[in-house]
Amino acid sequence: LPADPKLRALAEQWLSVDHDNIQPALRSVLIHKHLWRSPVIDEIQLKADFDIVSARLDILDAHLAKSKSQYFVGDEFSIVEVSFLPYF
């Protein structure tokens, strides 16, 4: 995490976005659809989860598009990029 307190707080916010908003929906999709290959799949819930993941990734894309830097927080590669790396 960045040493600067403001950047550290921003990094923690982005990590929370991943942990609390993207991972739960993505986990649902991956586990039920691909890992367990469950014969009983709630297709409506899966679509809802896909939509959630897509909307959250759109937020990430929008942030990077308007950012003055190529990174989520500050001007250096950080744990935030590591956290989001699998999505891009």
Side-chain angles (χ1 to χ4, degrees):
L1 289 169
D4 177 86
K6 182 177 179 182
L7 294 179
R8 182 182 208 96
L10 289 172
E12 290 176 357
Q13 287 175 353
W14 280 115
L15 292 171
S16 291
V17 166
D18 183 30
H19 184 266
D20 298 336
N21 293 288
I22 298 173
Q23 286 185 19
L26 190 59
R27 194 174 309 122
S28 172
V29 170
L30 292 175
I31 289 174
H32 291 99
K33 184 81 172 179
H34 299 291
L35 297 179
W36 289 347
R37 299 186 193 276
S38 175
V40 179
I41 297 174
D42 183 346
E43 294 292 339
I44 294 171
Q45 183 61 49
L46 282 176
K47 174 149 179 21
D49 289 340
F50 272 122
D51 291 346
I52 290 169
V53 171
S54 179
R56 299 303 188 254
L57 293 179
D58 287 346
I59 291 169
L60 302 182
D61 284 341
H63 172 74
L64 288 175
K66 71 178 184 177
S67 175
K68 295 177 182 155
S69 171
Q70 62 182 346
Y71 304 109
F72 281 92
V73 177
D75 295 324
E76 296 180 3
F77 187 82
S78 72
I79 190 71
V80 177
E81 283 74 32
V82 173
S83 178
F84 291 135
L85 190 61
Y87 308 135
F88 293 98

